[in-house]
Amino acid sequence: MSLSEHVAEDYVTTGLSLKAHPVAFFRERLARRSAIPNADLYHAERTAPDQRITVAGLVLTRQMPGDKKVVFATLEDETGIANIIVWPKVFAANRRVVMSARFLAVKGRLQRAGEVVHVLGESFVDLSADLALLADAERLDTEDAAATPLAPAAPFPLRSRDFH
Protein backbone atom coordinates (compact mmCIF):
# COMPACT_ATOMS: atom_id res chain seq x y z
CA MET A 1 0.00 0.00 0.00
CA SER A 2 1.10 3.55 -0.65
CA LEU A 3 1.53 6.03 2.20
CA SER A 4 -1.74 7.77 1.30
CA GLU A 5 -3.56 4.42 1.38
CA HIS A 6 -2.05 3.70 4.82
CA VAL A 7 -3.25 7.08 6.06
CA ALA A 8 -6.75 6.46 4.68
CA GLU A 9 -6.86 3.04 6.38
CA ASP A 10 -5.61 4.55 9.65
CA TYR A 11 -8.48 7.04 9.56
CA VAL A 12 -10.96 4.22 8.88
CA THR A 13 -9.75 2.18 11.85
CA THR A 14 -8.69 4.80 14.41
CA GLY A 15 -9.82 8.23 13.20
CA LEU A 16 -6.24 9.52 12.93
CA SER A 17 -2.85 8.63 11.52
CA LEU A 18 0.66 8.98 12.91
CA LYS A 19 2.17 8.38 9.46
CA ALA A 20 1.12 11.61 7.70
CA HIS A 21 -1.64 14.19 7.62
CA PRO A 22 -4.25 13.71 4.85
CA VAL A 23 -3.94 17.32 3.65
CA ALA A 24 -0.20 16.88 2.98
CA PHE A 25 -1.07 14.74 -0.05
CA PHE A 26 -2.98 17.67 -1.56
CA ARG A 27 -0.41 20.44 -0.87
CA GLU A 28 0.65 20.83 -4.53
CA ARG A 29 -2.96 20.96 -5.62
CA LEU A 30 -3.77 23.49 -2.89
CA ALA A 31 -0.80 25.63 -3.90
CA ARG A 32 -2.26 25.83 -7.42
CA ARG A 33 -5.37 27.28 -5.75
CA SER A 34 -3.06 29.81 -4.03
CA ALA A 35 -3.73 28.21 -0.64
CA ILE A 36 -0.97 28.83 1.87
CA PRO A 37 -0.04 26.42 4.66
CA ASN A 38 -1.92 27.28 7.85
CA ALA A 39 1.35 27.78 9.74
CA ASP A 40 2.07 30.81 7.52
CA LEU A 41 -0.84 32.64 9.16
CA TYR A 42 1.19 32.99 12.34
CA HIS A 43 4.29 34.50 10.69
CA ALA A 44 3.84 38.26 10.30
CA GLU A 45 6.66 38.38 7.75
CA ARG A 46 4.72 36.02 5.45
CA THR A 47 1.23 37.48 5.82
CA ALA A 48 -0.06 40.99 6.43
CA PRO A 49 -3.23 42.09 8.22
CA ASP A 50 -6.15 42.54 5.81
CA GLN A 51 -4.32 40.53 3.14
CA ARG A 52 -6.65 38.39 1.04
CA ILE A 53 -5.50 34.77 1.41
CA THR A 54 -6.67 31.22 0.85
CA VAL A 55 -6.28 28.46 3.42
CA ALA A 56 -7.53 24.89 3.38
CA GLY A 57 -7.82 21.93 5.67
CA LEU A 58 -9.92 19.30 7.33
CA VAL A 59 -12.81 20.83 9.27
CA LEU A 60 -12.26 20.03 12.93
CA THR A 61 -15.01 22.12 14.51
CA ARG A 62 -17.86 24.43 13.66
CA GLN A 63 -19.49 26.62 16.30
CA MET A 64 -22.52 28.86 16.05
CA PRO A 65 -22.94 30.43 19.47
CA GLY A 66 -26.36 31.46 20.75
CA ASP A 67 -28.82 32.94 18.31
CA LYS A 68 -26.07 34.68 16.37
CA LYS A 69 -25.64 33.44 12.83
CA VAL A 70 -21.87 33.91 12.92
CA VAL A 71 -19.96 30.64 12.48
CA PHE A 72 -16.51 29.88 13.87
CA ALA A 73 -14.71 27.02 12.14
CA THR A 74 -11.32 25.44 12.72
CA LEU A 75 -9.44 23.94 9.79
CA GLU A 76 -6.39 21.70 10.19
CA ASP A 77 -3.72 21.01 7.61
CA GLU A 78 -0.35 19.29 7.94
CA THR A 79 1.22 22.46 9.40
CA GLY A 80 -1.36 23.61 11.96
CA ILE A 81 -4.78 25.18 12.36
CA ALA A 82 -6.64 28.11 10.84
CA ASN A 83 -9.48 29.83 12.66
CA ILE A 84 -12.24 30.95 10.31
CA ILE A 85 -15.01 33.48 11.02
CA VAL A 86 -18.06 33.46 8.76
CA TRP A 87 -20.30 36.50 9.20
CA PRO A 88 -24.10 36.18 8.78
CA LYS A 89 -24.46 37.49 5.21
CA VAL A 90 -21.61 35.31 3.97
CA PHE A 91 -22.99 32.34 5.90
CA ALA A 92 -26.45 32.79 4.37
CA ALA A 93 -24.95 32.64 0.88
CA ASN A 94 -22.69 29.65 1.63
CA ARG A 95 -24.58 27.71 4.29
CA ARG A 96 -24.47 24.26 2.65
CA VAL A 97 -20.73 24.29 2.00
CA VAL A 98 -19.83 25.87 5.34
CA MET A 99 -21.91 23.36 7.30
CA SER A 100 -21.24 20.16 5.36
CA ALA A 101 -17.69 20.19 3.98
CA ARG A 102 -15.13 17.92 5.62
CA PHE A 103 -12.21 19.28 3.54
CA LEU A 104 -12.62 22.99 2.86
CA ALA A 105 -10.76 25.80 1.10
CA VAL A 106 -11.54 29.30 2.37
CA LYS A 107 -10.66 32.58 0.72
CA GLY A 108 -10.87 35.64 2.92
CA ARG A 109 -9.13 38.45 4.71
CA LEU A 110 -6.53 37.88 7.38
CA GLN A 111 -7.27 39.48 10.75
CA ARG A 112 -4.49 39.67 13.32
CA ALA A 113 -4.63 41.09 16.86
CA GLY A 114 -1.41 40.21 18.65
CA GLU A 115 -1.12 36.45 18.58
CA VAL A 116 -4.79 35.92 17.74
CA VAL A 117 -5.22 35.21 14.03
CA HIS A 118 -8.44 34.65 12.07
CA VAL A 119 -9.49 34.48 8.47
CA LEU A 120 -12.73 36.32 7.72
CA GLY A 121 -14.23 33.88 5.22
CA GLU A 122 -15.57 35.31 1.97
CA SER A 123 -15.76 32.31 -0.38
CA PHE A 124 -15.60 28.57 0.12
CA VAL A 125 -14.80 25.47 -1.94
CA ASP A 126 -15.86 22.03 -0.74
CA LEU A 127 -12.92 19.69 -1.44
CA SER A 128 -14.41 16.74 0.46
CA ALA A 129 -14.78 14.52 -2.62
CA ASP A 130 -11.00 14.72 -3.16
CA LEU A 131 -10.43 12.78 0.07
CA ALA A 132 -11.44 9.61 -1.79
CA LEU A 133 -8.17 9.96 -3.73
CA LEU A 134 -6.21 8.99 -0.61
CA ALA A 135 -7.24 5.38 -1.18
CA ASP A 136 -6.26 5.57 -4.87
CA ALA A 137 -2.59 6.59 -4.98
CA GLU A 138 -2.36 6.34 -8.76
CA ARG A 139 -5.11 8.93 -9.29
CA LEU A 140 -3.88 11.03 -6.38
CA ASP A 141 -0.53 11.46 -8.13
CA THR A 142 -2.01 12.24 -11.55
CA GLU A 143 -5.31 13.98 -10.89
CA ASP A 144 -5.33 17.58 -12.16
CA ALA A 145 -6.58 20.23 -9.72
CA ALA A 146 -8.82 21.72 -12.41
CA ALA A 147 -10.42 18.38 -13.27
CA THR A 148 -14.11 17.87 -12.79
CA PRO A 149 -15.03 16.80 -9.27
CA LEU A 150 -14.81 13.13 -8.50
CA ALA A 151 -17.92 11.02 -8.26
CA PRO A 152 -18.93 10.58 -4.63
CA ALA A 153 -17.10 7.70 -3.03
CA ALA A 154 -17.35 6.07 0.33
CA PRO A 155 -17.22 8.93 2.83
CA PHE A 156 -13.85 9.68 4.37
CA PRO A 157 -14.26 8.74 8.04
CA LEU A 158 -13.75 12.18 9.50
CA ARG A 159 -16.47 14.16 11.15
CA SER A 160 -16.15 17.64 12.56
CA ARG A 161 -17.31 18.45 16.05
CA ASP A 162 -20.18 20.84 15.51
CA PHE A 163 -21.75 23.02 18.18
CA HIS A 164 -24.84 24.89 17.04
Side-chain angles (χ1 to χ4, degrees):
M1 281 197 304
S2 70
L3 181 57
S4 66
E5 291 168 322
H6 276 284
V7 170
E9 286 301 315
D10 286 351
Y11 269 80
V12 167
T13 57
T14 66
L16 59 90
S17 178
L18 299 178
K19 294 177 179 76
H21 194 282
V23 176
F25 298 100
F26 299 98
R27 181 52 53 201
E28 255 183 60
R29 193 180 298 218
L30 293 171
R32 289 193 296 263
R33 291 181 174 273
S34 301
I36 64 171
N38 291 344
D40 286 0
L41 296 174
Y42 301 93
H43 297 283
E45 68 277 2
R46 296 183 197 161
T47 55
D50 249 9
Q51 177 182 348
R52 182 169 268 125
I53 59 166
T54 301
V55 294
L58 301 179
V59 180
L60 296 182
T61 63
R62 294 178 186 89
Q63 299 178 57
M64 190 184 304
D67 60 353
K68 309 281 189 230
K69 293 297 179 192
V70 66
V71 174
F72 300 101
T74 303
L75 305 184
E76 179 187 63
D77 72 3
E78 74 278 19
T79 68
I81 63 166
N83 295 308
I84 312 298
I85 297 175
V86 186
W87 293 113
K89 286 183 183 178
V90 176
F91 177 66
N94 297 279
R95 181 182 182 88
R96 188 196 62 74
V97 173
V98 170
M99 296 306 287
S100 66
R102 292 177 319 229
F103 183 19
L104 184 65
V106 178
K107 184 176 216 163
R109 294 205 178 270
L110 180 66
Q111 182 182 59
R112 179 180 285 123
E115 293 185 26
V116 178
V117 180
H118 298 283
V119 176
L120 302 177
E122 296 171 353
S123 64
F124 308 85
V125 177
D126 185 350
L127 303 171
S128 302
D130 288 354
L131 291 171
L133 289 173
L134 290 172
D136 188 350
E138 187 175 312
R139 284 190 68 199
L140 178 64
D141 292 338
T142 61
E143 193 72 25
D144 183 1
T148 52
L150 299 169
F156 188 74
L158 175 76
R159 296 229 185 273
S160 63
R161 293 176 180 92
D162 298 337
F163 304 97
H164 45 80

